[in-house]
Each structure stands twice: as C-alpha cells, then as structure tokens.
Amino acid sequence: CPDAVFLPVDKDAYEDASADVMATLRTFTSRVEVLGWDEAFLEAHTDDPEDLAGRIQAAVLDRTRLMCSIGIGENPLQAKLATGFAKPAGIYRLTSASWFEVLGDRSPDALWGIGTKTGKRLAGLGIATVRELALTDPAELAGKVGPTLGPWYVRLARGIDRSAVRTEPYLARSRGRETTFQQNLQDWDQVRAEVVRLAEQVAGDIAAEQRPVIRVVVKVRYAPFFTTTHGQPLAEPSSDPARLVAAAVELLDRFQPDRPIRLLGVRAELRPPASPS
C-alpha cells in the first residue's frame, strides 16, 4: 500500500483562515451564521443567486486562496444539502420545486439531521425513501419515534426548515485535541501520560469560555487503522481541569491495553449557553 504522511493539526492556522473567509462573506451581507471553521449560512435577497454565489467564490479565492462550494436554497436545510451536490468547488441550487426530483428516491439518511442509525430505524418502520417519509403522518410517526423527533423528521423530508439565518456568535459544542504518533505507543503508562497531556490542553482551550464540561470522550486509533471512542458524562457540569483529566484517564479502562496505538484524542463536550428568557 502507498506510504501515508501524517501532518499535525495547525489549529491557529485554521482559525485564521476561517476568520478571513467569514470576513469575506460579511462583505456581501451582514446576515452570516457561522457553523464552524469551514461552513456558514448567508441570507441574501437577489434575483440571480448563481451570480452572487460566483462572486462570493471569486472573493474568497482572491483573499484566502481557498476554493469553496456553495449551495443555494430557500432555507438553510435546502442550502446545506445543495452544498453536497456542489462539491467540489461548484454551485448548486435546491428548492422546494426540485426537492423530490433530487431527493425523493434517496434514503432518509441523505437528509441533514438524519444519520445512518436513524435511517435504518425508519427503514424498519417501512419508510425507505425521503418521499415516503414526507408522506408519513407526523402524529403516527410521533407514536413510534417520539413526539418531537417524529414530526421533525417529516418536516425535514418535506424540505421545511426555519427561514431565518441566525447571526448570534458561533459557539463550539465541544473542544478537542488529538495526536498521531510517528511510532506506535505500546507502553500503557505512556498512553496514560499522553491522555493526561491532551486533557490538560483541552482544559486550557476551554478555560476562557466559562462554559462547564458536561461529557468527556476519549478516542483511540489502534494500528494499523481501527478507531474506537468511549465517553461518559460528568456527575455534574464542571470547569475544574482536574475533573476533566480524571474522567479521561478513567475512560482508558474501557480500551484494550495490549494493542499498539497510533492516535489518541480527548474531547470535552460543553454545556450550551442558557437561552435568553
């Protein structure tokens, strides 16, 4: 097999590039909703969205030397899914008029918000396509998968989503660090020391956010390339770095200590900010 080259994550460089991209987007509209480093929604009112999308792509490329894919839709759900069809570095429009033509025969897990596991569950209920899900009685599905999820899945399948772009500052749901080792780790004491180091780095990353940790996850990639994760909630939300570290070390007991390890990661999931009353 070909040789693989593993490069370290350059978080600062990613954040700088992301800030440049988002600043470029805001030259076109003040209504920008940042979803992460590399994704955002823009609300724009234009008779020619493809022309606007092309100008955005050109501006991002000129300022950052980065290419982007742009999805166009009547709401964030449609735009998000359209972006998948636009890759790489293209433009694609998905609207209510073309929704079922494009997505109707696809599995429900093609929708943003429905994963593989949920798709299989829906298939077990006789719902195998987006069109079938859209035609399902929301009340009937609520009785099978829950009063909130059932109607929401049906709305997704019909291409219905909130219309407004949210402009509140983006807050990450979690913070994490991981390391790929040039030589596999086999000494479990060394593995434990690396997990402590990563957990302490994560604690430092979230210290300024004043958002307590609610759950800790440890990721292990065994050589040559088998990855598994284990997580556990804290007994109560906490900002104490020692508790984060202790939880990460405790999670190591759930992994196999007799296999060489290629990668380790620690992630802290944060409590969402309180909604304004």
Side-chain angles (χ1 to χ4, degrees):
C1 64
D3 294 334
V5 177
F6 295 91
L7 300 176
V9 173
D10 192 339
K11 180 174 177 286
D12 292 340
Y14 298 163
E15 290 184 340
D16 288 345
S18 177
D20 285 343
V21 170
M22 301 309 164
T24 304
L25 300 183
R26 291 188 178 95
T27 65
F28 291 88
T29 173
S30 61
R31 298 199 62 81
V32 176
E33 178 180 346
V34 180
L35 298 185
W37 276 345
D38 62 347
E39 192 170 12
F41 289 128
L42 283 75
E43 182 179 319
H45 302 271
T46 174
D47 294 329
D48 192 346
E50 280 80 9
D51 174 72
L52 176 59
R55 290 189 284 117
I56 291 172
Q57 285 182 323
V60 170
L61 181 62
D62 180 65
R63 178 164 177 173
T64 69
R65 296 188 297 170
L66 295 172
M67 303 180 74
C68 60
S69 304
I70 298 181
I72 300 168
E74 297 166 354
N75 58 46
L77 170 65
Q78 294 176 1
K80 167 72 175 180
L81 294 177
T83 304
F85 294 101
K87 296 177 180 179
I91 298 169
Y92 191 91
R93 190 196 299 207
L94 178 63
T95 65
S96 299
S98 61
W99 181 261
F100 289 110
E101 178 185 351
V102 175
L103 293 169
D105 295 329
R106 294 176 180 264
S107 169
D109 61 14
L111 298 172
W112 185 35
I114 296 182
T116 302
K117 184 176 180 180
T118 300
K120 291 179 179 178
R121 184 179 183 187
L122 292 172
L125 298 173
I127 304 171
T129 67
V130 170
R131 183 177 285 104
E132 290 172 349
L133 180 56
L135 294 173
T136 300
D137 180 357
E140 179 182 346
L141 191 58
K144 296 177 179 178
V145 302
T148 300
L149 291 178
W152 180 56
Y153 291 155
V154 174
R155 289 197 301 273
L156 290 180
R158 295 174 181 176
I160 300 171
D161 189 22
R162 58 182 170 89
S163 58
V165 169
R166 299 172 180 140
T167 57
E168 297 87 355
Y170 168 73
L171 288 175
R173 298 176 182 176
S174 64
R175 294 291 186 186
R177 294 280 191 135
E178 60 182 45
T179 298
T180 299
F181 304 101
Q182 296 300 313
Q183 294 184 335
N184 298 334
L185 299 185
Q186 304 204 52
D187 183 334
W188 204 246
D189 287 337
Q190 188 177 0
V191 171
R192 186 175 290 102
E194 288 293 335
V195 166
V196 169
R197 181 181 65 83
L198 290 168
E200 289 174 342
Q201 289 180 341
V202 173
D205 292 339
I206 65 177
E209 298 193 30
Q210 298 183 337
R211 294 167 61 201
V213 176
I214 59 174
R215 188 169 183 267
V216 176
V217 179
V218 171
K219 173 181 176 182
V220 171
R221 178 169 298 150
Y222 299 106
F225 204 87
F226 173 73
T227 304
T228 185
T229 62
H230 288 293
Q232 66 177 9
L234 298 183
E236 59 183 17
S238 175
S239 300
D240 183 356
R243 296 191 64 181
L244 192 163
V245 172
V249 171
E250 183 179 340
L251 283 167
L252 277 179
D253 292 338
R254 304 187 189 181
F255 295 91
Q256 296 175 307
D258 56 351
R259 299 182 59 180
I261 290 175
R262 187 68 173 173
L263 174 148
L264 288 170
V266 174
R267 184 176 78 249
E269 297 178 0
L270 306 175
R271 185 169 65 185
S275 301
S277 57

